[in-house]
Amino acid sequence: AVVSTQSTGARFQRMRDEYATIGMRKTVEGVLLVHEHNLPHVLLLQLGTSFFKLPGVEVPPGGDEVECLKQCLSETLGRQGDTIHWGVDEMICNWWRPNYEPPQYPYVPPHVTKPKEHRRLFLVRLPERAMFAVPRNYKLVAAPLFELYDNSNGYGPVISTLPQNLSRFSYVYA
């Protein structure tokens, strides 16, 4: 399992270099929900003590978003020799990066005609039982929705809005 740990500066420079040839970057990420103590939790990859991310991948030009996400999940969290059937269901939300800087918005700002990145988050249904292989240097953590809610300092603007974006779903605890 390989996950890029490329620095933010290098990532933005690569985005700038690629924009001229492939245009806007398309990124897909998976929101994997698990239930502990009858509370929904989101599985996050943790790097160090304070960086959290959703599993995801850049979609190559002409690539199918759902298939790219399934492949990424298998490569990132799948165990060698095991096959997990990832149920990539609904798209939860869109985020847009207007330029080559960190801020992202859940809309395209009106003054932006050519956003640099479109990030889509999908709800991923997990099988009843699954074992994951976690990439080196990362930990897989289950963060409860109440901890993510309104906590952009701890989880960033995208992950901290997941409770609002997931509120339209009803949860059945079997």
Side-chain angles (χ1 to χ4, degrees):
V2 176
V3 174
S4 175
T5 56
Q6 189 177 40
S7 75
T8 304
R11 186 169 191 263
F12 288 135
Q13 185 58 50
R14 188 169 58 86
M15 185 186 297
R16 185 183 306 272
D17 295 344
E18 291 176 353
Y19 187 81
T21 56
I22 64 171
M24 178 180 63
R25 173 178 290 173
K26 294 180 182 176
T27 305
V28 291
E29 296 178 0
V31 177
L32 291 74
L33 290 180
V34 295
H35 303 282
E36 279 187 42
H37 309 294
N38 289 334
L39 290 171
H41 290 59
V42 176
L43 292 181
L44 300 170
L45 293 169
Q46 180 181 359
L47 178 63
T49 58
S50 61
F51 180 76
F52 298 90
K53 66 181 277 179
L54 295 164
V57 67
E58 294 174 23
V59 179
D64 180 86
E65 292 177 341
V66 171
E67 289 307 312
C68 286
L69 180 57
K70 287 179 180 180
Q71 181 180 349
C72 167
L73 292 170
S74 291
E75 290 174 0
T76 304
L77 296 172
R79 292 171 13 134
Q80 195 164 5
D82 284 356
T83 302
I84 297 177
H85 298 286
W86 306 100
V88 177
D89 288 334
E90 295 189 48
M91 192 210 25
I92 297 172
C93 59
N94 289 287
W95 285 82
W96 302 88
R97 186 182 313 275
N99 50 37
Y100 306 108
E101 296 173 359
Q104 298 175 69
Y105 304 95
Y107 57 87
V108 178
H111 66 283
V112 174
T113 57
K114 296 180 180 178
K116 305 307 182 242
E117 182 177 15
H118 182 195
R119 187 172 171 191
R120 299 179 79 175
L121 278 60
F122 288 87
L123 184 60
V124 178
R125 231 178 335 99
L126 294 172
E128 189 172 324
R129 293 189 174 276
M131 292 192 63
F132 300 123
V134 181
R136 196 175 309 138
N137 300 332
Y138 280 91
K139 290 193 310 192
L140 187 64
V141 297
L145 290 183
F146 66 80
E147 186 178 315
L148 300 177
Y149 178 74
D150 202 26
N151 190 354
S152 62
N153 287 339
Y155 294 97
V158 176
I159 293 173
S160 67
T161 61
L162 285 175
Q164 294 93 318
N165 288 312
L166 293 168
S167 68
R168 65 188 173 109
F169 298 100
S170 297
Y171 304 102
V172 178
Y173 307 104

